[in-house]
Amino acid sequence: MPITDPELAQEMRHWRAVKAGSISAAKKTPAEHNAAMAKAREGIRSALAREIDPNGTLAATDPDELSRQVRLLRRARLADASLKGVKARAERRQRTQVGAA
């Protein structure tokens, strides 16, 4: 059940951030957090765009295609990271089962 009271939601985020040791995150409002995350997302997007199109030719000729390729590369990277995590957890689980037997 989502929390609808913005003050309560902000307070919960604050205490969660304090517990996690992130005092700077605890002081941010939702709007500040969203703005900071937008900057981070744009940084990642521009880095991926530079990787795909280092000369900037695709950005100049077909920005929609560049955007599509950036989306696909980001999705592929996230899927790759997820797969690595799954494999690592399976390997760790197998090691602990072999050690316990």
Side-chain angles (χ1 to χ4, degrees), residues 35-86:
M37 292 308 298
K39 287 181 188 177
R41 279 190 295 274
E42 179 55 32
I44 291 170
R45 193 204 73 72
S46 64
L48 292 174
R50 282 192 308 272
E51 187 176 327
I52 292 169
D53 186 24
N55 299 331
T57 54
L58 188 58
T61 58
D62 194 357
D64 291 336
E65 177 62 19
L66 178 62
S67 180
R68 186 185 76 78
Q69 288 185 16
V70 166
R71 254 191 343 268
L72 292 174
L73 180 58
R74 181 177 176 272
R75 187 179 299 163
R77 293 271 173 90
L78 291 173
D80 194 36
S82 177
L83 181 60
K84 285 180 182 178
V86 167

